[in-house]
Amino acid sequence: MIAKEILEIISKPWCSNQNIMKIANVSATTASKIKQEIEKEFRKKEPNKYMPAYCIPTKEVIKYFDLDIEFLKSLVFLDKDDHAQ
């Protein structure tokens, strides 16, 4: 997965198993386990917050995978520079 695709996924407020599969390059089973783990931790901190079925907050996914958004943006910028030359 390239940086641009990851940035497109994390630009949305909610992440699904499919999104986790793409970000982490894991199977559906592993993505489901990761989602459950993130959801469990989120529910401990925010028991009354709304969460749609089958999704978790993207900001929690970003924290879980320690995604460096500025670095991803720089990779996209570099890729654009390469194509412009």
Side-chain angles (χ1 to χ4, degrees):
M1 171 149 296
I2 61 173
K4 183 180 178 191
E5 292 171 316
I6 294 173
L7 286 170
E8 286 173 8
I9 290 170
I10 64 174
S11 70
K12 298 175 178 104
W14 305 100
C15 278
S16 66
N17 279 358
Q18 305 300 94
N19 298 136
I20 294 169
M21 286 172 61
K22 291 176 184 174
I23 290 170
N25 194 30
V26 295
S27 69
T29 304
T30 302
S32 180
K33 289 177 185 174
I34 291 169
K35 183 183 150 294
Q36 288 173 1
E37 185 177 330
I38 294 170
E39 184 176 357
K40 183 178 171 184
E41 287 303 311
F42 180 76
R43 286 287 174 217
K44 281 183 191 174
K45 294 183 292 184
E46 303 285 350
N48 299 320
K49 276 235 172 138
Y50 170 78
M51 192 173 352
Y54 309 111
C55 292
I56 53 175
T58 300
K59 69 179 185 177
E60 299 300 321
V61 174
I62 292 168
K63 284 184 209 171
Y64 182 87
F65 289 113
D66 195 23
L67 296 176
D68 187 338
I69 296 170
E70 292 306 314
F71 177 68
L72 292 171
K73 287 180 183 177
S74 72
L75 292 177
V76 171
F77 181 75
L78 290 173
D79 191 40
K80 285 182 183 176
D81 283 351
D82 287 345
H83 290 298
Q85 294 176 359

Coordinates of all heavy atoms in Angstrom, one line a residue:
M1 N 0.8 -1.2 0.0 CA 0.0 0.0 0.0 C 0.9 1.2 0.0 O 1.8 1.3 0.7 CB -0.9 0.0 1.2 CG -1.6 1.2 1.4 SD -3.2 1.1 2.2 CE -4.1 0.1 1.0
I2 N 0.5 2.2 -0.8 CA 1.3 3.4 -0.9 C 0.8 4.4 0.1 O -0.4 4.4 0.5 CB 1.4 4.0 -2.3 CG1 0.0 4.3 -2.9 CG2 2.1 3.0 -3.3 CD1 0.1 5.0 -4.2
A3 N 1.6 5.4 0.4 CA 1.2 6.5 1.4 C -0.1 7.2 1.0 O -0.9 7.4 1.9 CB 2.4 7.5 1.5
K4 N -0.3 7.4 -0.3 CA -1.5 8.1 -0.7 C -2.7 7.3 -0.3 O -3.7 7.9 0.2 CB -1.5 8.4 -2.2 CG -2.6 9.2 -2.7 CD -2.6 9.4 -4.2 CE -3.8 10.1 -4.7 NZ -3.9 10.1 -6.1
E5 N -2.7 6.0 -0.5 CA -3.8 5.2 -0.2 C -4.1 5.2 1.3 O -5.3 5.2 1.8 CB -3.6 3.8 -0.7 CG -3.6 3.7 -2.2 CD -3.2 2.3 -2.7 OE1 -2.2 1.7 -2.1 OE2 -3.8 1.8 -3.6
I6 N -3.0 5.1 2.1 CA -3.2 5.1 3.6 C -3.8 6.5 4.0 O -4.7 6.5 4.8 CB -1.9 4.9 4.3 CG1 -1.4 3.5 4.0 CG2 -2.0 5.1 5.8 CD1 0.0 3.1 4.6
L7 N -3.3 7.6 3.4 CA -3.9 8.9 3.8 C -5.4 9.0 3.4 O -6.1 9.6 4.1 CB -3.1 10.0 3.1 CG -1.7 10.3 3.7 CD1 -0.9 11.2 2.8 CD2 -1.8 10.8 5.1
E8 N -5.7 8.4 2.3 CA -7.1 8.4 1.9 C -8.0 7.6 2.9 O -9.1 8.1 3.3 CB -7.3 7.8 0.5 CG -6.8 8.7 -0.6 CD -6.9 8.0 -2.0 OE1 -7.4 6.9 -2.1 OE2 -6.3 8.7 -2.9
I9 N -7.5 6.5 3.4 CA -8.2 5.7 4.4 C -8.4 6.5 5.7 O -9.5 6.6 6.3 CB -7.5 4.4 4.6 CG1 -7.7 3.5 3.4 CG2 -8.1 3.7 5.9 CD1 -6.8 2.2 3.5
I10 N -7.3 7.1 6.2 CA -7.3 7.8 7.5 C -7.9 9.2 7.4 O -8.1 9.8 8.4 CB -6.0 7.8 8.2 CG1 -4.9 8.6 7.4 CG2 -5.5 6.4 8.4 CD1 -3.6 8.8 8.1
S11 N -8.4 9.6 6.2 CA -9.0 10.9 6.1 C -10.5 10.8 6.4 O -11.2 11.8 6.5 CB -8.9 11.4 4.7 OG -9.6 10.7 3.7
K12 N -11.0 9.6 6.7 CA -12.4 9.3 7.0 C -12.5 9.2 8.5 O -11.5 8.8 9.2 CB -12.9 8.1 6.3 CG -12.9 8.2 4.8 CD -13.2 6.9 4.1 CE -13.3 7.1 2.6 NZ -12.1 6.6 2.0
P13 N -13.6 9.5 9.1 CA -13.7 9.4 10.6 C -13.8 8.0 11.2 O -13.5 7.8 12.3 CB -15.1 10.2 10.9 CG -15.8 10.1 9.6 CD -14.8 10.0 8.5
W14 N -14.2 7.0 10.4 CA -14.3 5.7 10.9 C -13.5 4.7 10.0 O -13.4 4.8 8.8 CB -15.8 5.3 10.9 CG -16.6 6.2 11.6 CD1 -17.4 7.2 11.1 CD2 -16.8 6.3 13.0 NE1 -18.1 7.9 12.1 CE2 -17.7 7.4 13.3 CE3 -16.2 5.6 14.1 CZ2 -18.1 7.7 14.6 CZ3 -16.6 6.0 15.4 CH2 -17.5 7.0 15.6
C15 N -13.0 3.6 10.7 CA -12.3 2.6 10.0 C -13.0 1.2 10.2 O -13.5 0.9 11.3 CB -10.9 2.4 10.5 SG -9.7 3.6 9.8
S16 N -13.0 0.5 9.1 CA -13.6 -0.9 9.1 C -12.5 -1.9 9.1 O -11.3 -1.6 9.0 CB -14.5 -1.0 7.9 OG -13.7 -1.0 6.7
N17 N -12.9 -3.2 9.2 CA -12.0 -4.3 9.1 C -11.2 -4.2 7.8 O -10.0 -4.4 7.7 CB -12.7 -5.6 9.2 CG -13.0 -6.0 10.6 OD1 -12.6 -5.4 11.5 ND2 -13.6 -7.2 10.7
Q18 N -11.9 -3.8 6.7 CA -11.3 -3.7 5.4 C -10.2 -2.7 5.4 O -9.1 -2.9 4.8 CB -12.3 -3.3 4.3 CG -13.5 -4.2 4.2 CD -13.2 -5.6 3.9 OE1 -13.1 -6.4 4.8 NE2 -13.0 -5.9 2.6
N19 N -10.4 -1.5 6.0 CA -9.4 -0.5 6.1 C -8.2 -1.0 6.9 O -7.1 -0.7 6.5 CB -10.0 0.8 6.8 CG -11.1 1.4 6.1 OD1 -12.1 1.7 6.7 ND2 -11.0 1.5 4.7
I20 N -8.4 -1.7 8.0 CA -7.3 -2.2 8.8 C -6.5 -3.2 8.0 O -5.3 -3.2 8.1 CB -7.9 -2.8 10.2 CG1 -8.5 -1.7 11.0 CG2 -6.8 -3.5 10.9 CD1 -9.2 -2.1 12.2
M21 N -7.2 -4.0 7.3 CA -6.5 -5.0 6.4 C -5.6 -4.3 5.5 O -4.4 -4.7 5.3 CB -7.6 -5.8 5.6 CG -8.3 -6.9 6.4 SD -9.6 -7.6 5.5 CE -8.8 -8.4 4.1
K22 N -6.0 -3.2 4.9 CA -5.2 -2.5 3.9 C -4.0 -1.8 4.6 O -2.9 -1.8 4.1 CB -6.1 -1.5 3.2 CG -7.1 -2.1 2.2 CD -7.9 -1.1 1.6 CE -9.0 -1.7 0.7 NZ -10.0 -0.7 0.2
I23 N -4.3 -1.1 5.7 CA -3.3 -0.3 6.4 C -2.2 -1.3 6.9 O -1.0 -1.0 6.7 CB -3.9 0.5 7.6 CG1 -4.7 1.6 7.1 CG2 -2.8 1.0 8.5 CD1 -5.5 2.3 8.2
A24 N -2.6 -2.4 7.5 CA -1.6 -3.3 8.2 C -1.1 -4.4 7.3 O -0.3 -5.2 7.7 CB -2.1 -3.8 9.5
N25 N -1.8 -4.6 6.1 CA -1.5 -5.7 5.2 C -1.6 -7.0 6.0 O -0.7 -7.9 6.0 CB -0.1 -5.6 4.6 CG 0.1 -6.5 3.4 OD1 -0.9 -6.9 2.8 ND2 1.3 -6.9 3.2
V26 N -2.8 -7.2 6.6 CA -3.1 -8.4 7.3 C -4.4 -9.1 6.8 O -5.1 -8.5 6.0 CB -3.3 -8.1 8.8 CG1 -2.0 -7.6 9.4 CG2 -4.4 -7.2 9.1
S27 N -4.6 -10.3 7.3 CA -5.8 -11.1 6.8 C -7.0 -10.5 7.5 O -7.0 -9.7 8.5 CB -5.6 -12.5 7.2 OG -5.7 -12.7 8.6
A28 N -8.2 -10.9 7.1 CA -9.5 -10.5 7.6 C -9.6 -10.9 9.1 O -10.0 -10.1 10.0 CB -10.6 -11.1 6.9
T29 N -9.1 -12.1 9.4 CA -9.1 -12.6 10.8 C -8.3 -11.7 11.7 O -8.7 -11.3 12.8 CB -8.7 -14.0 10.9 OG1 -9.5 -14.8 10.0 CG2 -8.7 -14.6 12.3
T30 N -7.1 -11.4 11.3 CA -6.2 -10.6 12.1 C -6.7 -9.1 12.2 O -6.7 -8.6 13.3 CB -4.8 -10.5 11.4 OG1 -4.3 -11.9 11.4 CG2 -3.8 -9.7 12.3
A31 N -7.3 -8.6 11.1 CA -7.9 -7.3 11.2 C -9.0 -7.2 12.1 O -9.2 -6.3 12.9 CB -8.3 -6.9 9.8
S32 N -9.8 -8.3 12.2 CA -10.9 -8.3 13.1 C -10.4 -8.3 14.6 O -11.0 -7.7 15.4 CB -11.8 -9.6 12.8 OG -12.8 -9.7 13.7
K33 N -9.4 -9.1 14.8 CA -8.8 -9.1 16.2 C -8.2 -7.8 16.6 O -8.4 -7.3 17.7 CB -7.7 -10.2 16.3 CG -8.2 -11.6 16.2 CD -7.1 -12.6 16.2 CE -7.6 -14.0 16.1 NZ -6.5 -15.0 15.9
I34 N -7.6 -7.1 15.6 CA -7.0 -5.8 15.9 C -8.2 -4.8 16.2 O -8.1 -4.0 17.2 CB -6.2 -5.3 14.7 CG1 -4.9 -6.1 14.6 CG2 -5.9 -3.8 14.9 CD1 -4.1 -5.9 13.3
K35 N -9.2 -4.8 15.4 CA -10.4 -4.0 15.6 C -11.0 -4.2 16.9 O -11.3 -3.2 17.6 CB -11.4 -4.2 14.5 CG -12.6 -3.3 14.5 CD -13.6 -3.6 13.4 CE -15.0 -3.3 13.8 NZ -15.5 -4.0 14.9
Q36 N -11.2 -5.4 17.3 CA -11.7 -5.8 18.6 C -10.9 -5.2 19.8 O -11.4 -4.7 20.8 CB -11.9 -7.3 18.8 CG -13.0 -7.8 17.9 CD -13.1 -9.3 18.0 OE1 -12.3 -10.0 18.6 NE2 -14.0 -9.9 17.2
E37 N -9.6 -5.3 19.6 CA -8.6 -4.8 20.6 C -8.7 -3.3 20.8 O -8.8 -2.8 21.9 CB -7.2 -5.2 20.3 CG -6.2 -4.9 21.3 CD -4.8 -5.4 20.9 OE1 -4.7 -6.4 20.2 OE2 -3.8 -4.7 21.3
I38 N -8.8 -2.6 19.6 CA -8.9 -1.2 19.6 C -10.2 -0.8 20.2 O -10.3 0.2 21.1 CB -8.7 -0.6 18.2 CG1 -7.3 -0.8 17.7 CG2 -9.1 0.9 18.2 CD1 -7.1 -0.5 16.2
E39 N -11.3 -1.4 19.8 CA -12.6 -1.1 20.3 C -12.7 -1.3 21.8 O -13.3 -0.5 22.6 CB -13.7 -2.0 19.6 CG -15.1 -1.6 20.0 CD -16.1 -2.4 19.3 OE1 -15.8 -3.2 18.4 OE2 -17.3 -2.2 19.6
K40 N -12.1 -2.4 22.3 CA -12.1 -2.7 23.8 C -11.4 -1.6 24.5 O -12.0 -1.1 25.6 CB -11.4 -4.0 24.0 CG -11.4 -4.5 25.4 CD -10.8 -5.9 25.5 CE -10.5 -6.3 26.9 NZ -9.8 -7.5 27.0
E41 N -10.3 -1.1 24.1 CA -9.5 -0.1 24.7 C -10.3 1.3 24.7 O -10.4 2.0 25.6 CB -8.1 0.1 24.1 CG -7.2 -1.0 24.5 CD -7.0 -1.2 26.0 OE1 -6.7 -0.1 26.7 OE2 -7.1 -2.3 26.5
F42 N -10.9 1.5 23.5 CA -11.7 2.8 23.3 C -12.9 2.8 24.3 O -13.2 3.8 24.9 CB -12.2 2.9 21.9 CG -13.0 4.1 21.6 CD1 -12.3 5.4 21.5 CD2 -14.3 4.1 21.5 CE1 -13.1 6.5 21.3 CE2 -15.1 5.2 21.3 CZ -14.5 6.4 21.2
R43 N -13.6 1.6 24.4 CA -14.7 1.5 25.3 C -14.3 1.7 26.8 O -15.1 2.2 27.6 CB -15.4 0.2 25.1 CG -16.2 0.1 23.9 CD -17.4 1.0 24.0 NE -18.2 1.1 22.7 CZ -18.8 2.1 22.3 NH1 -18.8 3.2 23.0 NH2 -19.4 2.1 21.2
K44 N -13.1 1.3 27.2 CA -12.7 1.6 28.5 C -12.6 3.1 28.8 O -12.9 3.5 29.9 CB -11.3 0.9 28.8 CG -11.3 -0.5 29.0 CD -9.9 -1.0 29.3 CE -9.8 -2.5 29.2 NZ -8.4 -2.9 29.4
K45 N -12.0 3.8 27.8 CA -11.8 5.2 28.0 C -13.1 6.0 27.8 O -13.3 7.0 28.5 CB -10.8 5.8 27.0 CG -9.4 5.2 27.2 CD -8.4 5.8 26.2 CE -8.7 5.4 24.8 NZ -7.7 5.8 23.8
E46 N -13.9 5.6 26.8 CA -15.1 6.4 26.4 C -16.3 5.4 26.4 O -16.9 5.1 25.3 CB -14.9 7.0 25.0 CG -13.7 7.9 24.9 CD -13.9 9.2 25.6 OE1 -15.1 9.5 26.0 OE2 -12.9 10.0 25.7
P47 N -16.8 5.0 27.5 CA -17.9 4.0 27.5 C -19.2 4.5 26.9 O -20.0 3.7 26.4 CB -18.1 3.6 29.0 CG -17.5 4.7 29.7 CD -16.4 5.3 28.8
N48 N -19.5 5.8 26.9 CA -20.7 6.3 26.4 C -20.7 7.0 25.0 O -21.7 7.5 24.6 CB -21.3 7.3 27.4 CG -21.5 6.7 28.8 OD1 -22.0 5.6 28.8 ND2 -21.2 7.4 29.8
K49 N -19.5 7.0 24.4 CA -19.4 7.6 23.1 C -20.0 6.7 22.0 O -19.9 5.5 22.0 CB -17.9 7.8 22.7 CG -17.4 9.1 23.3 CD -16.8 9.9 22.2 CE -16.4 11.3 22.8 NZ -15.2 11.7 22.3
Y50 N -20.7 7.4 21.0 CA -21.3 6.7 19.9 C -20.2 6.1 19.0 O -19.2 6.7 18.7 CB -22.1 7.6 19.1 CG -22.6 7.1 17.8 CD1 -23.7 6.2 17.8 CD2 -21.9 7.4 16.6 CE1 -24.1 5.6 16.6 CE2 -22.4 6.8 15.4 CZ -23.4 5.9 15.4 OH -23.8 5.4 14.2
M51 N -20.5 4.8 18.6 CA -19.6 4.2 17.6 C -20.5 3.4 16.7 O -21.3 2.5 17.1 CB -18.6 3.3 18.3 CG -17.5 2.8 17.4 SD -16.1 1.9 18.1 CE -16.3 1.9 19.8
P52 N -20.4 3.6 15.4 CA -21.3 2.9 14.5 C -20.9 1.4 14.5 O -19.7 1.0 14.8 CB -21.0 3.5 13.1 CG -19.9 4.4 13.2 CD -19.6 4.6 14.7
A53 N -21.8 0.5 14.1 CA -21.6 -0.9 14.1 C -20.5 -1.1 13.0 O -20.4 -0.5 12.0 CB -22.8 -1.6 13.7
Y54 N -19.6 -2.1 13.3 CA -18.6 -2.5 12.4 C -17.5 -1.5 12.1 O -16.7 -1.7 11.2 CB -19.2 -3.0 11.1 CG -20.3 -4.0 11.2 CD1 -21.6 -3.7 10.9 CD2 -20.0 -5.3 11.7 CE1 -22.6 -4.6 11.1 CE2 -21.0 -6.2 11.9 CZ -22.3 -5.9 11.6 OH -23.3 -6.8 11.8
C55 N -17.4 -0.4 12.8 CA -16.4 0.6 12.6 C -15.8 1.0 14.0 O -16.4 0.9 15.0 CB -17.0 1.8 11.9 SG -17.5 1.5 10.2
I56 N -14.6 1.6 13.9 CA -14.0 2.2 15.1 C -13.4 3.6 14.6 O -13.2 3.8 13.5 CB -12.8 1.3 15.6 CG1 -11.8 0.9 14.5 CG2 -13.4 0.1 16.3 CD1 -10.6 0.1 15.0
P57 N -13.2 4.4 15.6 CA -12.7 5.8 15.3 C -11.3 5.7 14.6 O -10.4 5.0 15.1 CB -12.6 6.5 16.6 CG -13.5 5.7 17.5 CD -13.5 4.3 17.0
T58 N -11.2 6.4 13.5 CA -9.9 6.4 12.8 C -8.7 6.9 13.7 O -7.6 6.3 13.6 CB -10.0 7.2 11.5 OG1 -11.0 6.7 10.7 CG2 -8.7 7.3 10.7
K59 N -9.0 7.9 14.5 CA -7.9 8.4 15.4 C -7.4 7.3 16.3 O -6.2 7.3 16.6 CB -8.4 9.6 16.1 CG -9.4 9.3 17.2 CD -9.7 10.6 18.0 CE -10.6 10.3 19.1 NZ -10.9 11.5 19.9
E60 N -8.2 6.3 16.6 CA -7.7 5.2 17.5 C -6.8 4.3 16.6 O -5.9 3.7 17.2 CB -8.9 4.5 18.1 CG -9.7 5.3 19.0 CD -9.0 5.9 20.2 OE1 -8.1 5.2 20.8 OE2 -9.2 7.1 20.6
V61 N -7.2 4.1 15.4 CA -6.4 3.3 14.5 C -5.0 3.9 14.3 O -4.0 3.2 14.3 CB -7.1 3.0 13.1 CG1 -6.2 2.3 12.2 CG2 -8.4 2.3 13.4
I62 N -5.0 5.2 14.1 CA -3.8 6.0 13.9 C -2.9 5.8 15.1 O -1.7 5.5 15.0 CB -4.1 7.5 13.6 CG1 -4.8 7.6 12.3 CG2 -2.8 8.3 13.7 CD1 -5.3 9.0 12.0
K63 N -3.5 5.9 16.3 CA -2.7 5.7 17.5 C -2.2 4.3 17.6 O -1.0 4.0 18.0 CB -3.5 6.0 18.8 CG -3.8 7.4 19.0 CD -4.6 7.5 20.3 CE -5.4 8.8 20.4 NZ -6.4 8.8 21.5
Y64 N -3.0 3.3 17.3 CA -2.7 1.9 17.5 C -1.5 1.5 16.6 O -0.5 0.9 17.0 CB -3.9 1.0 17.1 CG -3.6 -0.5 17.3 CD1 -3.8 -1.1 18.5 CD2 -3.1 -1.2 16.2 CE1 -3.5 -2.5 18.6 CE2 -2.9 -2.6 16.3 CZ -3.1 -3.2 17.6 OH -2.8 -4.5 17.7
F65 N -1.5 2.0 15.4 CA -0.4 1.7 14.4 C 0.7 2.7 14.5 O 1.7 2.6 13.7 CB -0.9 1.6 13.0 CG -1.7 0.3 12.8 CD1 -3.1 0.4 12.5 CD2 -1.1 -0.9 12.9 CE1 -3.9 -0.8 12.4 CE2 -1.9 -2.1 12.7 CZ -3.2 -2.0 12.4
D66 N 0.6 3.8 15.3 CA 1.5 4.8 15.4 C 1.9 5.4 14.1 O 3.1 5.5 13.7 CB 2.8 4.3 16.1 CG 3.7 5.5 16.6 OD1 3.2 6.6 16.8 OD2 4.9 5.2 16.8
L67 N 0.8 5.7 13.3 CA 1.0 6.3 12.0 C 1.5 7.7 12.0 O 1.0 8.5 12.7 CB -0.3 6.2 11.2 CG -0.8 4.8 10.9 CD1 -2.2 4.9 10.2 CD2 0.1 4.0 10.1
D68 N 2.6 8.0 11.3 CA 3.2 9.3 11.2 C 2.6 10.0 10.0 O 3.1 9.8 8.9 CB 4.7 9.2 11.1 CG 5.4 10.6 11.2 OD1 4.7 11.6 10.9 OD2 6.6 10.6 11.5
I69 N 1.5 10.8 10.2 CA 0.8 11.4 9.1 C 1.7 12.4 8.3 O 1.7 12.4 7.1 CB -0.5 12.1 9.6 CG1 -1.4 11.1 10.2 CG2 -1.2 12.9 8.5 CD1 -2.6 11.6 11.0
E70 N 2.5 13.2 9.0 CA 3.4 14.1 8.3 C 4.4 13.4 7.4 O 4.7 13.8 6.3 CB 4.1 15.0 9.3 CG 3.2 16.0 10.0 CD 2.3 16.8 9.1 OE1 2.8 17.4 8.1 OE2 1.1 16.9 9.3
F71 N 4.9 12.2 7.9 CA 5.8 11.4 7.1 C 5.1 10.9 5.8 O 5.6 10.9 4.7 CB 6.4 10.3 7.9 CG 7.3 9.4 7.1 CD1 8.5 9.8 6.6 CD2 6.9 8.1 6.8 CE1 9.3 9.0 5.9 CE2 7.7 7.2 6.1 CZ 8.9 7.7 5.6
L72 N 3.9 10.4 6.0 CA 3.1 9.9 4.9 C 2.9 11.0 3.8 O 3.0 10.8 2.6 CB 1.8 9.3 5.3 CG 1.9 8.0 6.1 CD1 0.5 7.7 6.7 CD2 2.4 6.9 5.3
K73 N 2.5 12.2 4.3 CA 2.3 13.3 3.4 C 3.6 13.7 2.7 O 3.5 14.0 1.5 CB 1.9 14.6 4.2 CG 0.5 14.5 4.7 CD 0.1 15.8 5.5 CE -1.2 15.8 6.1 NZ -1.5 17.0 6.9
S74 N 4.7 13.6 3.3 CA 6.0 13.9 2.7 C 6.3 12.8 1.6 O 6.9 13.2 0.5 CB 7.2 14.0 3.7 OG 7.5 12.7 4.2
L75 N 5.9 11.6 1.8 CA 6.1 10.6 0.8 C 5.3 10.8 -0.4 O 5.7 10.7 -1.6 CB 5.8 9.2 1.4 CG 6.8 8.6 2.4 CD1 6.3 7.3 2.9 CD2 8.2 8.5 1.9
V76 N 4.0 11.3 -0.2 CA 3.1 11.6 -1.3 C 3.7 12.8 -2.1 O 3.8 12.8 -3.3 CB 1.7 11.9 -0.8 CG1 0.8 12.5 -1.9 CG2 1.1 10.7 -0.2
F77 N 4.2 13.8 -1.4 CA 4.8 14.9 -2.0 C 6.0 14.5 -2.8 O 6.2 15.0 -4.0 CB 5.2 16.0 -0.9 CG 5.9 17.2 -1.5 CD1 5.1 18.2 -2.1 CD2 7.2 17.4 -1.4 CE1 5.6 19.3 -2.6 CE2 7.8 18.6 -1.9 CZ 7.0 19.5 -2.5
L78 N 6.9 13.7 -2.3 CA 8.1 13.2 -3.0 C 7.7 12.4 -4.3 O 8.3 12.6 -5.3 CB 9.0 12.3 -2.1 CG 9.7 13.0 -1.0 CD1 10.4 12.0 -0.1 CD2 10.7 14.0 -1.6
D79 N 6.6 11.6 -4.1 CA 6.1 10.8 -5.3 C 5.6 11.8 -6.4 O 5.9 11.5 -7.6 CB 5.0 9.9 -4.8 CG 4.7 8.9 -5.9 OD1 5.6 8.4 -6.6 OD2 3.5 8.6 -6.1
K80 N 5.0 12.8 -6.0 CA 4.5 13.8 -7.0 C 5.7 14.5 -7.7 O 5.6 14.7 -8.9 CB 3.6 14.9 -6.3 CG 2.2 14.4 -6.0 CD 1.4 15.5 -5.4 CE 0.1 15.0 -4.9 NZ -0.7 16.0 -4.3
D81 N 6.7 14.8 -7.0 CA 7.9 15.4 -7.5 C 8.6 14.5 -8.5 O 9.0 14.9 -9.6 CB 9.0 15.8 -6.4 CG 8.6 17.0 -5.7 OD1 7.6 17.7 -6.1 OD2 9.3 17.3 -4.7
D82 N 8.6 13.2 -8.2 CA 9.2 12.2 -9.1 C 8.5 12.1 -10.5 O 9.1 12.0 -11.5 CB 9.3 10.8 -8.5 CG 10.4 10.7 -7.4 OD1 11.2 11.6 -7.4 OD2 10.3 9.8 -6.6
H83 N 7.2 12.2 -10.4 CA 6.3 12.1 -11.6 C 6.4 13.4 -12.4 O 6.1 13.4 -13.6 CB 4.9 11.8 -11.2 CG 4.7 10.4 -10.7 ND1 5.0 9.3 -11.5 CD2 4.3 9.9 -9.5 CE1 4.8 8.2 -10.8 NE2 4.4 8.5 -9.6
A84 N 6.7 14.5 -11.8 CA 6.7 15.8 -12.5 C 8.0 15.9 -13.3 O 8.0 16.7 -14.3 CB 6.6 16.9 -11.5
Q85 N 9.0 15.2 -13.0 CA 10.3 15.4 -13.7 C 10.3 14.6 -15.0 O 9.8 13.7 -15.3 CB 11.4 15.0 -12.8 CG 11.6 15.9 -11.7 CD 12.7 15.5 -10.7 OE1 13.3 14.5 -10.9 NE2 12.9 16.3 -9.7

